[in-house]
Amino acid sequence: DAKTTQPTSMDCAEGRAANLPCNHSTISGNEYVYWYRQIHSQGPQYIIHGLKNNETNEMASLIITEDRKSSTLILPHATLRDTAVYYCIVRATGAGGTSYGKLTFGQGTILTVHP
Amino acid sequence: DGGITQSPKYLFRKEGQNVTLSCEQNLNHDAMYWYRQDPGQGLRLIYYSQIVNDFQKGDIAEGYSVSREKKESFPLTVTSAQKNPTAFYLCATDRNTEAFFGQGTRLTVV
């Protein structure tokens, strides 16, 4: 699995958009980009994933560059409850969308949302 | 409720003793994982299993052992060979691109 690089920490004002970057310059053609977040002392929570097109769901948007070497997770209107560690992961996916291979986490970005 | 159950939530162990952490899932997922998390650190992969009766070492398998006799269960044993066992342990499953995590077991060696 390709490695990812994320900033150690970021701040965001409540109500503003939080833009979390991730570099994955060695990503392979069959590797998806996933984002998870972990609130203190809980298990990580899935947020969103994508291959090459931008994706949006009720939690966030994922913007992947055309060369797929980097991506940005966007929380459009951050709240205090979005304060967490955010992990960017790249991982291969097989036929029918089934994931395979080990799921490896990096250090993540500590996002602090302040009033 | 469908999900992953880790037990116990808190566990204390005397130095030199083996201890087994439980992870049960009713999601019918094939793949299961064990991670370790130390304060202020990310998740590190201990062991993973993609099918019953098969498992592979992760990045920090030394001092740990696992079994996968049933699809629903993936217990982790922390042996006395693990030099720094105090940590937060997370179990996960995944299928079809999304991973699901248990709520973790906090192990403290006293």
Side-chain angles (χ1 to χ4, degrees):
Chain A
D1 293 337
K3 290 188 176 180
T4 61
T5 305
Q6 299 176 251
T8 302
S9 62
M10 295 183 66
D11 287 339
C12 178
E14 188 176 20
R16 304 296 293 270
N19 299 298
L20 289 85
C22 180
N23 287 324
H24 31 79
S25 58
T26 60
I27 193 169
S28 300
N30 67 340
E31 288 182 318
Y32 280 65
V33 180
Y34 293 79
W35 283 85
Y36 287 80
R37 72 179 183 184
Q38 185 180 26
I39 296 170
H40 183 63
S41 295
Q42 297 183 20
Q45 174 192 22
Y46 166 84
I47 301 173
I48 198 167
H49 75 281
L51 183 62
K52 54 183 178 181
N53 297 322
N54 298 338
E55 302 288 343
T56 296
N57 62 20
E58 64 278 3
M59 290 182 68
S61 294
L62 174 60
I63 309 298
I64 302 174
T65 57
E66 192 170 343
D67 63 8
R68 301 208 326 120
K69 294 185 176 182
S70 65
S71 60
T72 301
L73 178 75
I74 301 172
L75 307 178
H77 305 287
T79 70
L80 298 179
R81 285 184 289 185
D82 291 323
T83 293
V85 180
Y86 287 77
Y87 295 100
C88 169
I89 301 160
V90 292
R91 186 183 180 201
T93 299
T98 301
S99 55
Y100 66 90
K102 60 183 181 179
L103 189 62
T104 303
F105 286 73
Q107 296 299 307
T109 296
I110 301 170
L111 174 68
T112 303
V113 181
H114 52 85
Chain B
D1 270 355
I4 303 168
T5 302
Q6 288 188 244
S7 61
K9 189 170 183 179
Y10 298 96
L11 187 58
F12 296 87
R13 185 195 97 177
K14 289 185 179 179
E15 197 168 343
Q17 289 182 337
N18 292 355
V19 63
T20 298
L21 283 60
S22 170
C23 179
E24 302 282 330
Q25 57 113 347
N26 60 5
L27 300 169
N28 199 34
H29 290 173
D30 290 313
M32 297 187 74
Y33 305 80
W34 273 106
Y35 294 89
R36 168 184 173 136
Q37 188 172 36
D38 294 287
Q41 303 295 316
L43 280 69
R44 292 186 289 167
L45 183 63
I46 305 172
Y47 267 99
Y48 65 107
S49 167
Q50 293 185 292
I51 196 168
V52 174
N53 293 323
D54 187 48
F55 49 83
Q56 286 80 41
K57 292 182 179 180
D59 301 316
I60 55 164
E62 186 175 351
Y64 299 98
S65 66
V66 293
S67 63
R68 187 83 187 278
E69 297 176 1
K70 300 186 300 182
K71 190 175 187 178
E72 301 79 17
S73 179
F74 191 40
L76 173 74
T77 297
V78 184
T79 74
S80 57
Q82 171 48 236
K83 299 304 179 187
N84 297 295
T86 294
F88 186 51
Y89 291 88
L90 283 159
C91 177
T93 74
D94 82 316
R95 188 184 69 177
N96 295 335
T97 75
E98 184 175 343
F100 299 84
F101 285 81
Q103 290 304 300
T105 292
R106 190 166 297 280
L107 172 65
T108 302
V109 174
V110 297

